[in-house]
């Protein structure tokens, strides 16, 4: 695998940056009441997608240029104006002074995730889908049905309000690559990804298998077809962000993904000096 330097880290961070940007733009059109917004800053973006939303933080900042106190001031003002906590993604490729700057401002750790990547090659051949399974491209008009499968896979008893219907735009975005796994004519699993042409990155995301169809290799098959489609679209790397030790990470590692680094999301709650 290629050595991960700041330039590559900047590209890998687009995996989480650009989907959030596209979400904000979509919500501006479809959910104007929440006041979604996105703004370029310090080489990346800061995103707001509604109060209480799991989407919306500053990502991709300070990897291709200095990350200054003035930039942090802008980030805090952006979120303060929207009465939301200030959240920023940082990775080991940031300078130590950047971490000190956030520490001095009273930021704490909100999340810790692993960033995995894998080089893509159009010539690579993958095994066929498991017996009894049909894998096909997802249709744009199926976006709600596909996202409902993934939502039910994660929340079999019903999703919390903040997550209800959240995945649907992902299956409709420009650059989205979606696949459906059918078993006995029923939509059993779905997987999505996003081609980020500017960075030649494919963001792997939005996948799930209904409980009654697990253990058949459907997610591995869906990941393989997405990797092939991403290579065909001209992407150089596929990228996925996971929590350490999860089944999702192990599945990715079996298909050649390797951890580039662990990243942290730091947070400063409203009203904290």
């Amino acid at each position: 695998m290629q050595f991960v330097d700041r330039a590559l880290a900047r590209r890998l961070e687009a995996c989480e940056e650009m989907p959030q940007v596209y979400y904000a733009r979509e919500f501006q059109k479809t959910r104007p009441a929440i006041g979604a917004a996105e703004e370029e800053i310090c080489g990346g973006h800061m995103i707001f997608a509604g109060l209480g939303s799991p989407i919306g933080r500053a990502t991709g900042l300070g990897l291709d240029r200095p990350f200054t106190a003035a930039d942090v001031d802008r980030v805090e003002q952006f979120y303060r104006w929207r009465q939301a906590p200030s959240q920023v993604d940082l990775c080991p490729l940031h300078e130590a002074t950047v971490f000190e700057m956030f520490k001095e401002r009273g930021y704490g750790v909100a999340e810790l995730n692993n960033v995995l990547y894998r080089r893509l090659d159009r010539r690579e051949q993958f095994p066929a889908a498991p017996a009894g399974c049909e894998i096909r491209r997802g249709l744009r008009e199926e976006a709600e049905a596909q996202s409902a499968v993934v939502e039910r896979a994660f929340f079999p008893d019903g999703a919390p309000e903040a997550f209800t219907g959240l995945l649907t735009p992902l299956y409709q975005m420009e650059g989205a690559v979606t696949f459906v796994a059918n078993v006995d004519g029923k939509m059993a699993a779905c997987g999505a990804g996003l081609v980020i042409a500017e960075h030649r990155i494919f963001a792997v995301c939005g996948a799930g298998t209904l409980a009654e169809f697990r253990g058949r290799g459907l997610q591995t098959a869906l990941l393989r077809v997405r990797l092939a489609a991403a290579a065909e679209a001209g992407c150089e790397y596929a990228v996925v962000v996971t929590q350490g030790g999860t089944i999702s990470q192990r599945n990715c590692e079996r298909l050649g993904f390797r951890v580039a680094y662990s990243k942290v999301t730091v947070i400063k709650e409203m009203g904290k000096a």
Side-chain angles (χ1 to χ4, degrees):
M1 300 296 286
Q2 180 178 334
F3 174 74
V4 179
D5 57 13
R6 288 168 65 91
L8 180 55
R10 174 64 194 95
R11 295 173 64 192
L12 301 183
E13 286 298 288
C15 168
E16 292 205 295
E17 173 198 9
M18 296 313 298
Q20 292 187 86
V21 169
Y22 297 152
Y23 260 107
R25 293 173 183 172
E26 178 68 18
F27 287 169
Q28 286 171 349
K29 295 182 291 185
T30 61
R31 305 183 188 182
I34 69 175
E38 51 87 12
E39 187 176 323
E40 292 187 18
I41 179 174
C42 197
H45 282 84
M46 44 191 176
I47 302 101
F48 175 74
L51 289 173
S53 173
I55 299 169
R57 58 190 188 277
T59 305
L61 282 63
L63 286 167
D64 61 358
R65 65 198 70 187
F67 199 161
T68 69
D71 295 317
V72 183
D73 288 340
R74 277 188 60 197
V75 171
E76 292 183 351
Q77 183 179 20
F78 176 86
Y79 289 105
R80 187 185 306 116
W81 191 83
R82 293 167 176 84
Q83 299 184 321
S86 175
Q87 298 187 73
V88 184
D89 282 0
L90 301 175
C91 75
L93 281 299
H94 282 108
E95 299 287 348
T97 54
V98 171
F99 288 89
E100 285 298 318
M101 183 168 57
F102 282 95
K103 179 181 177 181
E104 290 170 0
R105 290 180 179 237
Y107 281 75
V109 174
E111 285 186 24
L112 183 63
N113 293 297
N114 290 335
V115 178
L116 293 88
Y117 73 123
R118 180 194 195 277
R119 188 180 287 275
L120 299 170
D121 186 342
R122 292 187 184 188
R123 298 166 297 180
E124 185 173 5
Q125 299 293 315
F126 292 105
C133 168
E134 174 207 4
I135 293 184
R136 61 171 177 80
R137 282 274 194 161
L139 304 176
R140 186 180 177 86
E141 55 268 29
E142 294 178 319
E144 288 190 11
Q146 292 178 76
S147 63
V149 167
V150 179
E151 185 178 299
R152 188 146 58 94
F154 281 93
F155 304 105
D157 298 323
E161 183 178 353
F163 288 87
T164 301
L166 187 64
L167 287 172
T168 300
L170 179 62
Y171 282 79
Q172 299 169 318
M173 291 176 181
E174 182 179 353
V177 174
T178 70
F179 284 90
V180 173
N182 287 335
V183 175
D184 297 330
K186 181 177 180 180
M187 195 178 288
C190 299
L194 196 67
V195 172
I196 305 172
E198 176 185 356
H199 296 285
R200 295 183 65 204
I201 290 292
F202 181 70
V204 179
C205 48
T209 302
L210 295 177
E212 60 268 34
F213 296 103
R214 290 175 185 165
R216 304 187 187 200
L218 301 185
Q219 277 307 314
T220 297
L222 284 170
L223 183 53
R224 284 170 173 157
V225 294
R226 283 180 286 168
L227 294 179
E232 187 63 30
C235 294
E236 184 179 8
Y237 294 103
V239 188
V240 61
V241 178
T242 72
Q243 293 183 334
T246 62
I247 294 175
S248 175
Q249 177 167 327
R250 292 197 295 273
N251 285 342
C252 289
E253 289 177 331
R254 280 195 287 266
L255 287 183
F257 282 81
R258 293 295 178 264
V259 175
Y261 50 79
S262 295
K263 63 183 288 185
V264 62
T265 301
V266 295
I267 185 170
K268 183 177 181 180
E269 297 291 349
M270 281 288 298
K272 189 170 182 179

